[in-house]
């Protein structure tokens, strides 16, 4: 697709999707264009599009009026906008100004599921379990754990329901407390997402502003298979009115909950299902 940012002679791409989950559109410029196996692609400087990864689905997005699919190029690290098979991008040239926008309802749905996944991981760790895999896709969302020591409560249906009830209660309490969700960057540039003091984990996903933004968080009775504890879940975002964004980058009332470090990078989470 592309070989390196240096080879292309372009500047660094800004992962704008990490700066503010609720930004709906932005005016930016094209920094690279090309074609791979007959499919055109373009990269923009301020990338609003979250690509699939870390267990989170890709954003639905548009460049101008053309729907695109964001994909991270592993060689260059750029997130590039491609089109479905048979589709085409509008004529674009390096340096050209373009408007990028996302489906904000899809974005907030993904952010709610991803944040709820961190919360499920947190309450699972309270049980002494270790996370080994995660998936934040709609209809598939789950966190998988391993118990370092035998947990006798998981041996029968009644015990599994009892443990699940404890997980539900802990999740509900954290949501009721509306714990803040924020990002800090470590000295080495890693991006760490915090659920206040409850939990923290390296993560390159999008998240809600606080746990009070989560609604309809549900956990079916957990399952145990081949030594893994699978906690499935679902969640939605509380209703909101998407009237806060302008193409100039001014966005109210949803202010970004953090100011990213300029070298803050989005790590792949250990055990994440892509």
């Amino acid at each position: 697709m592309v070989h390196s940012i240096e080879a292309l002679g372009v500047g660094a791409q800004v992962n704008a999707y990490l700066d503010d989950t609720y930004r709906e559109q932005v005016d930016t410029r094209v920094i690279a264009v090309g074609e791979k196996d007959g499919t055109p692609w373009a990269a923009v400087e301020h990338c609003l599009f979250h690509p699939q990864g870390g267990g989170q689905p890709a954003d639905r997005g548009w460049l101008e009026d053309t729907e695109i699919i964001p994909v991270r190029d592993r060689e260059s690290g750029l997130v590039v906008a491609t089109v479905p098979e048979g589709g085409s991008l509008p004529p674009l040239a390096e340096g050209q100004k373009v408007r990028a926008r996302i489906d904000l309802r899809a974005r907030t749905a993904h952010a709610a599921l991803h944040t709820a996944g961190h919360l499920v991981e947190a309450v699972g760790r309270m049980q002494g379990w270790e996370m080994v895999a995660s998936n934040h896709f709609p209809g598939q969302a789950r966190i998988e754990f391993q118990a370092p020591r035998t947990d006798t409560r998981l041996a029968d249906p009644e015990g599994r329901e009892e443990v699940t009830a404890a997980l539900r209660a802990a999740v509900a309490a954290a949501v009721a407390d509306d714990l803040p969700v924020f990002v800090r960057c470590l000295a080495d540039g890693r991006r760490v997402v915090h659920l206040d003091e409850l939990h923290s984990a390296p993560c390159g996903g999008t998240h809600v502003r606080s746990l009070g933004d989560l609604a309809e968080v549900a956990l079916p009775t957990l399952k145990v298979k081949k030594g893994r504890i699978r906690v499935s879940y679902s969640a939605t975002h509380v209703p909101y009115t998407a009237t806060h964004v302008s193409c100039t980058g001014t966005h109210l009332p949803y202010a970004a909950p953090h100011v990213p470090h300029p070298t803050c990078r989005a790590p792949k989470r250990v055990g994440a299902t892509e």
Side-chain angles (χ1 to χ4, degrees):
M1 186 173 290
V2 292
H3 298 292
S4 69
I5 295 176
E6 291 77 10
L8 287 169
V10 302
Q13 187 177 57
V14 177
N15 291 329
Y17 60 86
L18 295 180
D19 294 347
D20 184 355
T21 291
Y22 300 88
R23 178 176 290 186
E24 188 172 21
Q25 63 185 33
V26 66
D27 285 344
T28 184
R29 67 184 182 93
V30 177
I31 57 174
V33 295
E35 184 178 288
K36 173 67 174 179
D37 297 330
T39 301
W41 58 263
V44 296
E45 183 177 22
H46 292 85
C47 180
L48 203 59
F49 314 120
H50 187 290
Q52 179 175 323
Q56 180 172 328
D59 281 329
R60 183 185 183 206
W62 293 265
L63 275 181
E64 298 297 340
D65 294 323
T66 300
E67 186 167 359
I68 60 89
I69 302 171
V71 178
R72 183 175 298 281
D73 176 61
R74 295 186 181 277
E75 293 184 14
S76 70
L78 290 172
V79 175
V80 301
T82 64
V83 291
E85 185 175 355
S88 62
L89 290 172
L92 297 172
E94 292 180 25
Q96 179 178 338
K97 293 182 178 180
V98 290
R99 179 167 297 177
R101 63 185 176 93
I102 60 167
D103 181 335
L104 192 55
R105 292 199 177 277
R107 159 68 67 81
T108 53
H110 297 165
L113 281 170
H114 203 146
T115 304
H118 280 242
L119 179 53
V120 171
E121 179 186 350
V123 299
R125 289 185 182 277
M126 290 178 184
Q127 301 294 321
W129 306 337
E130 299 173 354
M131 190 195 78
V132 293
S134 63
N135 186 326
H136 310 295
F137 275 63
Q140 306 173 31
R142 64 185 183 276
I143 307 295
E144 295 186 9
F145 300 93
Q146 285 182 337
R149 296 173 297 277
T150 301
D151 192 332
T152 57
R153 300 173 301 171
L154 306 179
D156 58 73
E158 292 78 11
R160 291 191 290 273
E161 177 56 34
E162 178 184 344
V163 176
T164 306
L167 298 177
R168 292 177 186 135
V171 165
V175 172
D177 287 342
D178 195 15
L179 299 181
V181 179
F182 57 90
V183 169
R184 288 191 177 128
C185 289
L186 303 183
D188 60 5
R190 284 184 296 160
R191 179 179 189 263
V192 179
V193 173
H194 294 254
L195 309 183
D196 198 28
E197 300 300 321
L198 179 65
H199 180 67
S200 65
C203 183
T206 62
H207 293 276
V208 302
R209 300 155 300 182
S210 66
L211 296 186
D213 284 332
L214 300 179
E216 301 176 343
V217 183
L219 279 65
T221 302
L222 64 82
K223 298 180 179 179
V224 181
K225 187 175 182 180
K226 296 182 178 179
R228 286 195 174 190
I229 304 162
R230 175 177 289 189
V231 182
S232 298
Y233 71 93
S234 60
T236 62
H237 197 289
V238 295
Y240 64 96
T241 302
T243 60
H244 60 289
V245 181
S246 79
C247 62
T248 62
T250 302
H251 34 157
L252 295 172
Y254 300 117
H258 70 286
V259 177
H261 188 281
T263 60
C264 190
R265 63 177 181 269
K268 179 178 178 181
R269 288 189 62 185
V270 175
T273 304
E274 296 194 6

mmCIF file of all heavy atoms in Angstrom, residues 110-138:
data_model
loop_
_atom_site.group_PDB
_atom_site.id
_atom_site.type_symbol
_atom_site.label_atom_id
_atom_site.label_comp_id
_atom_site.label_asym_id
_atom_site.label_seq_id
_atom_site.Cartn_x
_atom_site.Cartn_y
_atom_site.Cartn_z
ATOM 1 N N HIS A 110 -19.630 2.419 19.450
ATOM 2 C CA HIS A 110 -18.377 1.674 19.600
ATOM 3 C C HIS A 110 -17.652 2.098 20.876
ATOM 4 O O HIS A 110 -17.096 1.259 21.597
ATOM 5 C CB HIS A 110 -17.466 1.924 18.394
ATOM 6 C CG HIS A 110 -18.025 1.439 17.096
ATOM 7 N ND1 HIS A 110 -17.511 1.823 15.869
ATOM 8 C CD2 HIS A 110 -19.059 0.608 16.819
ATOM 9 C CE1 HIS A 110 -18.205 1.254 14.910
ATOM 10 N NE2 HIS A 110 -19.154 0.511 15.457
ATOM 11 N N ALA A 111 -17.638 3.416 21.146
ATOM 12 C CA ALA A 111 -16.957 3.918 22.338
ATOM 13 C C ALA A 111 -17.604 3.377 23.610
ATOM 14 O O ALA A 111 -16.909 3.022 24.579
ATOM 15 C CB ALA A 111 -16.968 5.443 22.347
ATOM 16 N N ALA A 112 -18.938 3.312 23.621
ATOM 17 C CA ALA A 112 -19.633 2.784 24.794
ATOM 18 C C ALA A 112 -19.272 1.323 25.028
ATOM 19 O O ALA A 112 -19.002 0.910 26.168
ATOM 20 C CB ALA A 112 -21.142 2.943 24.626
ATOM 21 N N LEU A 113 -19.243 0.535 23.953
ATOM 22 C CA LEU A 113 -18.887 -0.877 24.100
ATOM 23 C C LEU A 113 -17.448 -1.033 24.566
ATOM 24 O O LEU A 113 -17.141 -1.894 25.397
ATOM 25 C CB LEU A 113 -19.103 -1.616 22.775
ATOM 26 C CG LEU A 113 -20.543 -1.998 22.452
ATOM 27 C CD1 LEU A 113 -20.646 -2.506 21.022
ATOM 28 C CD2 LEU A 113 -21.060 -3.062 23.432
ATOM 29 N N HIS A 114 -16.544 -0.205 24.017
ATOM 30 C CA HIS A 114 -15.137 -0.339 24.394
ATOM 31 C C HIS A 114 -14.927 0.034 25.862
ATOM 32 O O HIS A 114 -14.257 -0.675 26.618
ATOM 33 C CB HIS A 114 -14.266 0.533 23.492
ATOM 34 C CG HIS A 114 -12.854 0.063 23.421
ATOM 35 N ND1 HIS A 114 -12.078 0.164 22.291
ATOM 36 C CD2 HIS A 114 -12.053 -0.527 24.343
ATOM 37 C CE1 HIS A 114 -10.874 -0.336 22.530
ATOM 38 N NE2 HIS A 114 -10.836 -0.752 23.772
ATOM 39 N N THR A 115 -15.539 1.141 26.291
ATOM 40 C CA THR A 115 -15.400 1.542 27.692
ATOM 41 C C THR A 115 -16.044 0.517 28.616
ATOM 42 O O THR A 115 -15.490 0.192 29.680
ATOM 43 C CB THR A 115 -16.028 2.922 27.915
ATOM 44 O OG1 THR A 115 -15.437 3.863 27.005
ATOM 45 C CG2 THR A 115 -15.799 3.392 29.339
ATOM 46 N N ALA A 116 -17.202 0.014 28.226
ATOM 47 C CA ALA A 116 -17.847 -1.021 29.050
ATOM 48 C C ALA A 116 -16.963 -2.258 29.145
ATOM 49 O O ALA A 116 -16.932 -2.926 30.185
ATOM 50 C CB ALA A 116 -19.213 -1.380 28.466
ATOM 51 N N GLY A 117 -16.224 -2.552 28.084
ATOM 52 C CA GLY A 117 -15.293 -3.681 28.131
ATOM 53 C C GLY A 117 -14.200 -3.473 29.163
ATOM 54 O O GLY A 117 -13.829 -4.402 29.904
ATOM 55 N N HIS A 118 -13.664 -2.240 29.245
ATOM 56 C CA HIS A 118 -12.678 -1.939 30.278
ATOM 57 C C HIS A 118 -13.286 -2.113 31.670
ATOM 58 O O HIS A 118 -12.630 -2.606 32.590
ATOM 59 C CB HIS A 118 -12.184 -0.499 30.126
ATOM 60 C CG HIS A 118 -11.144 -0.326 29.069
ATOM 61 N ND1 HIS A 118 -9.871 0.119 29.331
ATOM 62 C CD2 HIS A 118 -11.187 -0.537 27.727
ATOM 63 C CE1 HIS A 118 -9.173 0.189 28.212
ATOM 64 N NE2 HIS A 118 -9.965 -0.195 27.217
ATOM 65 N N LEU A 119 -14.547 -1.714 31.810
ATOM 66 C CA LEU A 119 -15.208 -1.837 33.103
ATOM 67 C C LEU A 119 -15.415 -3.305 33.470
ATOM 68 O O LEU A 119 -15.199 -3.700 34.627
ATOM 69 C CB LEU A 119 -16.549 -1.092 33.068
ATOM 70 C CG LEU A 119 -17.395 -1.124 34.339
ATOM 71 C CD1 LEU A 119 -16.593 -0.657 35.552
ATOM 72 C CD2 LEU A 119 -18.656 -0.268 34.155
ATOM 73 N N VAL A 120 -15.812 -4.121 32.498
ATOM 74 C CA VAL A 120 -15.962 -5.559 32.762
ATOM 75 C C VAL A 120 -14.610 -6.163 33.137
ATOM 76 O O VAL A 120 -14.516 -7.000 34.053
ATOM 77 C CB VAL A 120 -16.572 -6.273 31.536
ATOM 78 C CG1 VAL A 120 -16.535 -7.785 31.719
ATOM 79 C CG2 VAL A 120 -18.010 -5.809 31.315
ATOM 80 N N GLU A 121 -13.557 -5.734 32.432
ATOM 81 C CA GLU A 121 -12.224 -6.215 32.796
ATOM 82 C C GLU A 121 -11.889 -5.836 34.238
ATOM 83 O O GLU A 121 -11.343 -6.639 35.002
ATOM 84 C CB GLU A 121 -11.174 -5.623 31.852
ATOM 85 C CG GLU A 121 -9.758 -6.072 32.192
ATOM 86 C CD GLU A 121 -8.692 -5.385 31.352
ATOM 87 O OE1 GLU A 121 -9.052 -4.702 30.368
ATOM 88 O OE2 GLU A 121 -7.497 -5.533 31.691
ATOM 89 N N ALA A 122 -12.221 -4.604 34.614
ATOM 90 C CA ALA A 122 -11.916 -4.132 35.965
ATOM 91 C C ALA A 122 -12.606 -4.979 37.032
ATOM 92 O O ALA A 122 -11.974 -5.393 38.017
ATOM 93 C CB ALA A 122 -12.333 -2.665 36.106
ATOM 94 N N VAL A 123 -13.900 -5.252 36.849
ATOM 95 C CA VAL A 123 -14.619 -6.008 37.879
ATOM 96 C C VAL A 123 -14.210 -7.478 37.860
ATOM 97 O O VAL A 123 -14.275 -8.158 38.895
ATOM 98 C CB VAL A 123 -16.148 -5.834 37.732
ATOM 99 C CG1 VAL A 123 -16.528 -4.363 37.882
ATOM 100 C CG2 VAL A 123 -16.674 -6.399 36.422
ATOM 101 N N GLY A 124 -13.781 -7.979 36.689
ATOM 102 C CA GLY A 124 -13.256 -9.334 36.647
ATOM 103 C C GLY A 124 -11.946 -9.452 37.411
ATOM 104 O O GLY A 124 -11.699 -10.436 38.126
ATOM 105 N N ARG A 125 -11.104 -8.435 37.288
ATOM 106 C CA ARG A 125 -9.843 -8.440 38.037
ATOM 107 C C ARG A 125 -10.093 -8.371 39.536
ATOM 108 O O ARG A 125 -9.274 -8.868 40.327
ATOM 109 C CB ARG A 125 -8.950 -7.295 37.571
ATOM 110 C CG ARG A 125 -8.382 -7.506 36.165
ATOM 111 C CD ARG A 125 -7.408 -6.412 35.770
ATOM 112 N NE ARG A 125 -6.903 -6.587 34.425
ATOM 113 C CZ ARG A 125 -5.892 -7.390 34.089
ATOM 114 N NH1 ARG A 125 -5.278 -8.105 35.018
ATOM 115 N NH2 ARG A 125 -5.492 -7.483 32.830
ATOM 116 N N MET A 126 -11.215 -7.771 39.932
ATOM 117 C CA MET A 126 -11.570 -7.749 41.360
ATOM 118 C C MET A 126 -11.788 -9.165 41.893
ATOM 119 O O MET A 126 -11.658 -9.415 43.086
ATOM 120 C CB MET A 126 -12.843 -6.930 41.580
ATOM 121 C CG MET A 126 -12.692 -5.451 41.366
ATOM 122 S SD MET A 126 -14.298 -4.635 41.598
ATOM 123 C CE MET A 126 -13.869 -2.941 41.187
ATOM 124 N N GLN A 127 -12.149 -10.084 40.989
ATOM 125 C CA GLN A 127 -12.366 -11.473 41.382
ATOM 126 C C GLN A 127 -11.058 -12.262 41.414
ATOM 127 O O GLN A 127 -11.058 -13.463 41.702
ATOM 128 C CB GLN A 127 -13.332 -12.148 40.398
ATOM 129 C CG GLN A 127 -14.693 -11.495 40.303
ATOM 130 C CD GLN A 127 -15.478 -11.611 41.581
ATOM 131 O OE1 GLN A 127 -15.453 -12.646 42.258
ATOM 132 N NE2 GLN A 127 -16.179 -10.537 41.941
ATOM 133 N N GLY A 128 -9.956 -11.588 41.062
ATOM 134 C CA GLY A 128 -8.667 -12.270 41.038
ATOM 135 C C GLY A 128 -8.341 -12.893 39.695
ATOM 136 O O GLY A 128 -7.362 -13.641 39.587
ATOM 137 N N TRP A 129 -9.122 -12.575 38.653
ATOM 138 C CA TRP A 129 -8.899 -13.146 37.330
ATOM 139 C C TRP A 129 -7.959 -12.277 36.509
ATOM 140 O O TRP A 129 -7.781 -11.085 36.778
ATOM 141 C CB TRP A 129 -10.225 -13.277 36.573
ATOM 142 C CG TRP A 129 -11.296 -14.024 37.297
ATOM 143 C CD1 TRP A 129 -11.144 -14.951 38.295
ATOM 144 C CD2 TRP A 129 -12.708 -13.893 37.086
ATOM 145 N NE1 TRP A 129 -12.360 -15.417 38.716
ATOM 146 C CE2 TRP A 129 -13.353 -14.785 37.986
ATOM 147 C CE3 TRP A 129 -13.496 -13.137 36.227
ATOM 148 C CZ2 TRP A 129 -14.736 -14.924 38.041
ATOM 149 C CZ3 TRP A 129 -14.876 -13.258 36.284
ATOM 150 C CH2 TRP A 129 -15.484 -14.152 37.177
ATOM 151 N N GLU A 130 -7.394 -12.863 35.470
ATOM 152 C CA GLU A 130 -6.516 -12.155 34.543
ATOM 153 C C GLU A 130 -7.137 -12.167 33.151
ATOM 154 O O GLU A 130 -7.562 -13.220 32.668
ATOM 155 C CB GLU A 130 -5.140 -12.827 34.493
ATOM 156 C CG GLU A 130 -4.416 -12.828 35.834
ATOM 157 C CD GLU A 130 -3.134 -13.633 35.794
ATOM 158 O OE1 GLU A 130 -2.877 -14.287 34.758
ATOM 159 O OE2 GLU A 130 -2.400 -13.615 36.804
ATOM 160 N N MET A 131 -7.195 -11.005 32.508
ATOM 161 C CA MET A 131 -7.759 -10.941 31.163
ATOM 162 C C MET A 131 -6.802 -11.569 30.154
ATOM 163 O O MET A 131 -5.593 -11.330 30.192
ATOM 164 C CB MET A 131 -8.026 -9.491 30.757
ATOM 165 C CG MET A 131 -8.831 -9.386 29.464
ATOM 166 S SD MET A 131 -8.815 -7.729 28.725
ATOM 167 C CE MET A 131 -7.196 -7.721 27.954
ATOM 168 N N VAL A 132 -7.358 -12.361 29.231
ATOM 169 C CA VAL A 132 -6.539 -12.989 28.194
ATOM 170 C C VAL A 132 -7.014 -12.634 26.789
ATOM 171 O O VAL A 132 -6.274 -12.832 25.820
ATOM 172 C CB VAL A 132 -6.497 -14.524 28.362
ATOM 173 C CG1 VAL A 132 -5.755 -14.897 29.640
ATOM 174 C CG2 VAL A 132 -7.905 -15.125 28.375
ATOM 175 N N ALA A 133 -8.238 -12.107 26.639
ATOM 176 C CA ALA A 133 -8.738 -11.734 25.309
ATOM 177 C C ALA A 133 -9.917 -10.790 25.472
ATOM 178 O O ALA A 133 -10.585 -10.777 26.512
ATOM 179 C CB ALA A 133 -9.157 -12.973 24.510
ATOM 180 N N SER A 134 -10.161 -10.001 24.411
ATOM 181 C CA SER A 134 -11.292 -9.082 24.441
ATOM 182 C C SER A 134 -11.833 -8.866 23.047
ATOM 183 O O SER A 134 -11.108 -9.013 22.054
ATOM 184 C CB SER A 134 -10.882 -7.734 25.050
ATOM 185 O OG SER A 134 -9.893 -7.105 24.255
ATOM 186 N N ASN A 135 -13.103 -8.538 22.977
ATOM 187 C CA ASN A 135 -13.771 -8.221 21.715
ATOM 188 C C ASN A 135 -14.844 -7.194 22.043
ATOM 189 O O ASN A 135 -15.645 -7.402 22.952
ATOM 190 C CB ASN A 135 -14.393 -9.481 21.104
ATOM 191 C CG ASN A 135 -14.978 -9.232 19.723
ATOM 192 O OD1 ASN A 135 -15.494 -8.164 19.426
ATOM 193 N ND2 ASN A 135 -14.915 -10.244 18.861
ATOM 194 N N HIS A 136 -14.832 -6.063 21.312
ATOM 195 C CA HIS A 136 -15.776 -4.989 21.600
ATOM 196 C C HIS A 136 -16.740 -4.747 20.436
ATOM 197 O O HIS A 136 -17.326 -3.669 20.342
ATOM 198 C CB HIS A 136 -15.018 -3.700 21.936
ATOM 199 C CG HIS A 136 -13.945 -3.879 22.963
ATOM 200 N ND1 HIS A 136 -14.213 -4.243 24.270
ATOM 201 C CD2 HIS A 136 -12.597 -3.773 22.884
ATOM 202 C CE1 HIS A 136 -13.071 -4.337 24.939
ATOM 203 N NE2 HIS A 136 -12.079 -4.059 24.119
ATOM 204 N N PHE A 137 -16.888 -5.725 19.561
ATOM 205 C CA PHE A 137 -17.799 -5.577 18.429
ATOM 206 C C PHE A 137 -19.247 -5.716 18.888
ATOM 207 O O PHE A 137 -19.556 -6.536 19.766
ATOM 208 C CB PHE A 137 -17.517 -6.643 17.365
ATOM 209 C CG PHE A 137 -16.426 -6.281 16.401
ATOM 210 C CD1 PHE A 137 -15.127 -6.092 16.825
ATOM 211 C CD2 PHE A 137 -16.704 -6.130 15.049
ATOM 212 C CE1 PHE A 137 -14.121 -5.761 15.944
ATOM 213 C CE2 PHE A 137 -15.706 -5.798 14.148
ATOM 214 C CZ PHE A 137 -14.415 -5.611 14.595
ATOM 215 N N PRO A 138 -20.169 -4.943 18.292
ATOM 216 C CA PRO A 138 -21.587 -5.095 18.626
ATOM 217 C C PRO A 138 -22.060 -6.529 18.400
ATOM 218 O O PRO A 138 -21.755 -7.146 17.371
ATOM 219 C CB PRO A 138 -22.279 -4.128 17.648
ATOM 220 C CG PRO A 138 -21.235 -3.117 17.309
ATOM 221 C CD PRO A 138 -19.928 -3.874 17.300
#
